[in-house]
Amino acid sequence: MLLLISPDGVEEALDCAKAAEHLDIVDVKKPDEGSLGANFPWVIREIRDAVPADKPVSATVGDVPYKPGTVAQAALGAVVSGATYIKVGLYGCTTPDQGIEVMRAVVRAVKDHRPDALVVASGYADAHRIGCVNPLAVPDIAARSGADAAMLDTAVKDGTRLFDHVPPDVCAEFVRLAHASGRLAALAGSVTQADLGPLTRIGTDIVGVRGAVCEGGDRNTGRIQPHLVAAFRTEMDRHAREHTAGVSSVR
Ligand SMILES: O=C[C@H](O)COP(=O)(O)O
């Protein structure tokens, strides 16, 4: 499982750079503009320059409306600015067809410019609170639009967690559906170390984290702490080892 960490700007990205050996992807967002709030192009560029070249930079395009042209242009802005994972939060899409239309436009805009960039279709575990597409529709939206990954995050950051809205067995189905069409499965939403056991067991490819590696566990008032990133990774590695040992002992 890969660890994606979301700093809120250049200063925090520098703290991520100090913990670079413990993380896999640096994810640029602007939390005060929403769960998947988009940051400025120059911030993406500065963060790309600040983190080691072997660490991919991801950028969120926003909690987007059902406006395929607008979103495609924003996605192109993110990839031109140096991000190679482009995440789109399908906030304003109320049906799978709308999600597919938006994501097809994003895939074309991104891959025309940079074919090796990865496009991530993100839904929300608490979709019922905002009226957007059902979480289990997201893997199919990713598959039918040509996106590379299906993701879930929480839309409302009020302390409720991924598993409060989509329990582990449903997340397992999400991962299964994503894998069945050859997509990666990414999960996030106030994930803590306590969630790493189930996330590992169900085969999650990428876990996205911010609050759990911020001072005081607070994604808004706390800053990312390199030692918390290291501790999170240690716990991920422990679960990965235990899972591998468990799988081989039942063979
Ligand atoms: O993409 C990952 C998100 O930034 C997760 O943030 P969070 O752990 O504070 O919910």
Side-chain angles (χ1 to χ4, degrees), residues 35-36 124-126 152-157 160-162 165 188-190:
S35 162
L36 275 83
Y124 299 88
D126 51 350
L152 291 180
D153 198 338
T154 45
V156 185
K157 299 289 182 180
T160 58
R161 292 162 43 196
L162 169 70
H165 303 289
S190 301

Side-chain angles (χ1 to χ4, degrees), residues 56-135:
V57 166
S58 148
T60 51
V61 169
D63 295 311
V64 308
Y66 168 51
K67 291 190 175 175
T70 303
V71 181
Q73 205 176 110
L76 177 61
V79 72
V80 164
S81 304
T84 47
Y85 281 65
I86 308 299
K87 283 165 61 186
V88 179
L90 298 170
Y91 194 96
C93 296
T94 56
T95 65
D97 282 347
Q98 290 181 353
I100 292 165
E101 202 184 332
V102 167
M103 290 312 305
R104 275 192 182 144
V106 168
V107 168
R108 178 169 176 180
V110 168
K111 306 239 178 206
D112 275 357
H113 180 75
R114 185 155 181 176
D116 63 337
L118 271 83
V119 176
V120 182
S122 183
Y124 299 88
D126 51 350
H128 57 282
R129 302 208 279 190
I130 55 168
C132 74
V133 282
N134 186 288

Side-chain angles (χ1 to χ4, degrees), residues 4 6 27 29 87 151 153 157 189-190 208-211 219:
L4 172 147
S6 306
D27 178 48
K29 60 170 57 164
K87 283 165 61 186
M151 179 166 189
D153 198 338
K157 299 289 182 180
S190 301
V209 176
R210 171 171 175 78
R219 75 186 321 271

Side-chain angles (χ1 to χ4, degrees), residues 181-205:
S181 64
R183 317 287 134 177
L184 297 171
L187 292 169
S190 301
V191 164
T192 68
Q193 289 189 14
D195 303 323
L196 287 172
L199 288 172
T200 305
R201 277 195 296 280
I202 66 176
T204 310
D205 299 295

